[in-house]
Each structure stands twice: as C-alpha cells, then as structure tokens.
Amino acid sequence: MKTHIHTTGTLLTSKDASLIAELVDETSITILGALAQTHDKITSVNGSLKSTEKGLKALLNKHGNVRTYLVPMKSNYKETTQIIEKAYQMGCSKFRLLSLSPTGRAQESFNDISLNLKERRWLTNELMIIGERLDIDIDVGFCTRQDYPQLGELHGHQTCLAAENRMHIDAFGEVFPCTASSGLQAFSGGNIRTHDLADLWKVSPMFQFFRYFHSNPPLKCRSCIEYWQCMGGCRVMMFHRYRDFTLAKPDCIS
C-alpha cells in the first residue's frame, strides 16, 4: 500500500523530514499564497507561510518525494504563478492544482470564494505559460480536470478511483473515500481509532456505495460515451450543491 501525506509542513523538523523521506511514498505541502499576508489570512495563523516554506525546504533537503499543492480561490489565484516560482527556486519541480473543495471552513463560503469560469480560464493560461517557461508539469487530478481540462493529467488520476484503490485518513482518524471528501461527515467510512482499517475498507457502506456507483451510474449516464471522462460529476460536488449522493450532473450536455 502506497502512503501519501498531506501536510502544512509547519511543524516539520529535519528529523521528521528524514523519516518522511525514507518511509512515505509521496508528501504534499499546500501553499496558499506567495505573500505572507495572503497565505496567513487564509490559514488564520500568523507566520504560517514562513513555517510552511521551512518545512518544504526540510523535505527537499532530505530528497523527499515532494509535490507543492496549489488551491486557487478568489483571494489568492493571482499569486499562483508567484507561488510556483518561489517553490521552484527552492528546488521543487512537481506541482498539482486542486479545485477548492466545499469542505472544512470552505463549506459555508464556497460559492463566494471559488473561481468562476472567466477566472479559471485566466489562471489556466497563466499556468500553461509558466509551465512551458520553467519546463515543469502542473498536473490535475480527475475532479480538478473538470474545471481545468487543458492542464496535465496526473498519473493514476485518469478517472475517479475513490474507494477503489485509495482512501483518505484525516488527522482525527476519520476515513474517507478520497481527499476531496475529507471533513464531510456524511462521507465518513468510520474511524480507525474504533475500527480496524481493513474492515472499514471492506464493509463501510460509503465505500461500498462508491464502488457500486462507479459501475452502476444513473440511467442517463449509462449510454453516454463520455461517462468515464466525467463519471456523472464529482460526488462531493453533487452532495454540496444538491444534497444527493446519487445525482448525475444536471447541467451535463452530452
């Protein structure tokens, strides 16, 4: 089983970085602004950008398999290329863009802080320019590719594989089908503090639902040749917008 740690990097020491580089297959550190005032305002922690960059440097110095994550929203998307420039200068050459997910503190303000189509198109163009200039890949996973179809496809994320060959365990031990669903209690498959992880993987109703849905989509999707490209839309987004786990994208034109 491959392991992947998502971290702010703010508490990483050199010793921690050595262990992570040796034991973890991949580590991602999210930077939310090129400027401290931008990043720190989003995290609500003064000095967090400085600590995050220190953690990133520690992992890079230990030759860890590190990828910088970018989560554009209205308050930071114009700094995205600056974030890439700074991380690249530190020695990071791998980047991943993630569409903002309606989880955590973003749930209540999601519609106000997420990017619209015009902003996403502007950002896509800027990312393609800097990607070519620095000769780096700025990849996107399955869900994010719905919003940024022109960016590179992240290996292993060609389609939705939530609960198929991956799961996400949060800092409190809650197990979710994917990273995008982390923090949404309705998607929880259980908690490793009270249940065996192997049992949760096998019998969790939420995990079983995802597996069933992938091969038994809504009727309107079953004859669509584009199904494996969109899979009826992201389950997390369908739940956020319509409170329905099983709904196919209402605005689909295929």
Side-chain angles (χ1 to χ4, degrees), residues 19 28 39 46 66 99 103 111 120 130 132 145 151 154 160 172 175 209 224:
L19 285 171
S28 60
H39 180 98
N46 290 332
V66 190
S99 290
T103 59
N111 294 330
R120 294 198 304 270
I130 193 171
E132 182 176 352
R145 200 166 65 249
L151 297 182
L154 187 66
C160 179
F172 305 101
V175 183
F209 160 74
C224 179

Side-chain angles (χ1 to χ4, degrees), residues 12 46 69 77 88 92 94 106 115 134 179 196 215 222 240:
L12 282 178
N46 290 332
Y69 274 25
Y77 79 100
Y88 181 78
C92 184
K94 296 193 294 185
L115 303 189
L134 298 179
T179 303
D196 182 77
S215 56
R222 295 186 185 182
H240 169 70

Side-chain angles (χ1 to χ4, degrees), residues 163 176-177 186-189 203-211 245:
F176 298 91
F187 283 83
S188 174
V203 305
S204 162
M206 180 53 62
F207 279 51
Q208 292 189 54
F209 160 74
F210 267 81
R211 294 165 190 153
F245 291 111

Side-chain angles (χ1 to χ4, degrees), residues 45-162:
V45 179
N46 290 332
S48 58
L49 176 59
K50 184 177 180 179
S51 297
T52 290
E53 291 178 341
K54 183 178 179 181
L56 176 59
K57 289 178 182 177
L59 282 168
L60 290 169
N61 288 339
K62 298 299 181 180
H63 307 290
N65 183 16
V66 190
R67 188 181 297 270
T68 297
Y69 274 25
L70 314 158
V71 185
M73 54 193 89
K74 288 190 183 294
S75 62
N76 71 355
Y77 79 100
K78 290 190 176 180
E79 295 180 22
T80 304
T81 56
Q82 295 171 264
I83 297 171
I84 293 172
E85 290 269 16
K86 289 178 68 176
Y88 181 78
Q89 290 171 9
M90 291 181 205
C92 184
S93 59
K94 296 193 294 185
F95 299 86
R96 180 179 176 183
L97 190 78
L98 292 91
S99 290
L100 183 68
S101 184
T103 59
R105 289 187 293 123
Q107 287 186 62
E108 295 183 2
S109 57
F110 179 78
N111 294 330
D112 296 323
I113 65 177
S114 55
L115 303 189
N116 58 37
L117 179 59
K118 182 179 179 180
E119 291 163 338
R120 294 198 304 270
R121 285 178 173 172
W122 178 88
L123 181 57
T124 296
N125 184 62
E126 293 297 306
L127 292 174
M128 293 177 70
I129 291 173
I130 193 171
E132 182 176 352
R133 178 165 63 82
L134 298 179
D135 191 24
I136 56 173
D137 291 325
I138 304 170
D139 297 325
V140 293
F142 173 74
C143 291
T144 302
R145 200 166 65 249
Q146 311 302 307
D147 292 331
Y148 301 90
Q150 292 177 286
L151 297 182
E153 183 177 84
L154 187 66
H155 178 70
H157 292 257
Q158 292 82 359
T159 187
C160 179
L161 292 170

